């Protein structure tokens, strides 16, 4: 997911094409629920140890074709992730990992995620047959017994294809049992409980030299404060832990290829991902997860020491933001909502490409829809009374109290027509000032907080 575009900024045909194709892919991903959704949940202690296994993979892909090659498997000292909902309860993700108990063939863990490759696959170079590789890391709780792990990909017709599968003995000597690198400086920013019962956010320093450690700490504190000033994070702050990990970079800043600026930084973050000026990512998913492994974490935010506007998110994996643009706090929370809760962009692209979107296919993202039937619209419990669908821009009705109307406002997911968002304004759209998530986005974030930090664990 790309950071907001500047409203007055010029976009190249290439950028528009990429955004358009990203949206096509999102819609193509719709209508498929994770096959595991209906399955009864799994008892953690029956099947798992309090350790994690981190699988490093290389994904290779071009348009309509991708491959997975396995790298090292690394054991981590604890599993800070969910223990109640081990089978992923959401329909999200263009890829998925599934773990089966070998003896019973029971699905005991699953999780959905996106990768940069699924975005790359929609670009012109991929369409021209040019392969590229993306290093990713996938972490699972460590099973007690022999297991099978699968990496799947959601196809455009919404079936799942298994890209890779392997049977693994937990005693396999090839599993690397080395200690995590503890040389980074750790700052505890907000501590409320044990990592296994909390949503654990880690800020990683990128592009800060050794002399800029205090600046990183101040930047991470500023982002934490901004997050807890906004709902739904404010009311759930007791269900989150926040830490910062600092490793120095050899040079200050990160790569900006469009300006011929190159910096040797800890995570090799770079602007211009996929050729988009403001798209800032760190594409090395191996280095990223090795860095984060110093602390227990559920979700990663990379803070990039730069004044330039930019950010990016790989949904259900990590997000990146700069820290010194006037809009950096807002970019952080917008990108974090992508990566944490699979929220779609609600803003509208500069050009309408609705003719390229197949009718009748509903995106899986929780905050945009093509559905206008009030009995079936995904946020129907939140609809304002007697609100017309679609909802006219100037509809003056009010929901209970003075809250803004919840309906179906046309425009979202980069599309001007045929796609609808819940409220006029939202931080996932153009609702920058004041920064506020719409009620549907808030609820989607709350569901994800509940996934990581079940309320009965408080
Ligand atoms: Zn929203």
């Amino acid at each position: 997911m790309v950071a907001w575009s500047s409203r007055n900024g010029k976009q190249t045909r290439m950028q528009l094409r990429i955004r358009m194709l990203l949206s096509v892919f999102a819609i193509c991903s719709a209508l498929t629920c994770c096959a595991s959704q209906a399955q009864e949940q799994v008892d953690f202690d029956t099947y798992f140890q309090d350790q994690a296994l981190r699988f490093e993979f290389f994904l290779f892909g071009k348009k309509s074709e991708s491959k997975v090659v396995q790298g090292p498997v690394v054991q981590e000292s604890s599993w800070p992730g969910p223990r109640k909902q081990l089978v992923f309860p959401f329909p999200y993700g263009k890829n998925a990992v599934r773990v089966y108990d070998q003896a019973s063939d029971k699905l005991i863990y699953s999780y959905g995620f996106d990768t940069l490759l699924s975005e790359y696959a929609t670009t012109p170079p991929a369409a021209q047959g040019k392969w590229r590789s993306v290093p990713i890391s996938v972490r699972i709780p460590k099973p007690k017994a022999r297991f099978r792990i699968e990496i799947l990909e959601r196809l455009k017709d919404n079936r799942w294809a298994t890209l890779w599968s392997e049977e693994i003995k937990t005693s396999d000597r090839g599993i690397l049992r080395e200690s995590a690198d503890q040389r980074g400086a750790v700052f505890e920013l907000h501590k409320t409980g044990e990592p296994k019962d909390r949503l654990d956010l880690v800020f990683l320093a990128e592009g800060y030299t050794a002399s800029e450690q205090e600046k990183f700490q101040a930047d991470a504190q500023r982002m934490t404060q901004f997050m807890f000033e906004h709902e739904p994070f404010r009311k759930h702050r007791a269900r989150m832990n926040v830490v910062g990990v600092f490793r120095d970079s050899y040079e200050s800043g990160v790569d900006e290829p469009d300006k011929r600026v190159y910096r040797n930084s800890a995570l090799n973050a770079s602007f211009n991902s996929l050729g988009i000026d403001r798209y800032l990512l760190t594409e090395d998913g191996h280095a990223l997860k090795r860095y984060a492994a110093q602390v227990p974490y559920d979700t990663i935010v990379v803070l990039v020491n730069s004044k330039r506007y930019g950010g990016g998110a790989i949904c259900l994996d990590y997000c990146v933001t700069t820290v010194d643009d006037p809009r950096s706090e807002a970019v952080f929370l917008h990108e974090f909502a992508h990566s944490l809760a699979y929220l779609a962009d609600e803003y509208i692209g500069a050009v309408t490409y609705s003719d390229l979107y197949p009718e009748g296919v509903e995106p899986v993202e929780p905050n945009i829809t093509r559905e206008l039937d009030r009995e079936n619209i995904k946020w129907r419990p939140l609809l304002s009374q007697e609100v017309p669908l679609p909802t006219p821009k100037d509809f003056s009705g009010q929901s209970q109290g003075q809250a803004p109307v919840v309906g179906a406002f046309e425009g979202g997911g980069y599309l001007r027509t045929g796609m609808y968002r819940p409220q006029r304004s939202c931080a996932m759209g153009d609702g920058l000032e004041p920064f506020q998530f719409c009620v549907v986005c808030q609820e989607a974030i709350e569901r994800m907080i509940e996934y990581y930090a079940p309320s009965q664990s408080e």
Side-chain angles (χ1 to χ4, degrees), residues 346 367 422 425-428 437-441:
E346 294 181 24
N367 59 328
S425 180
C426 174
M428 298 313 290
F437 291 110
C438 73
V439 293
V440 170
C441 287

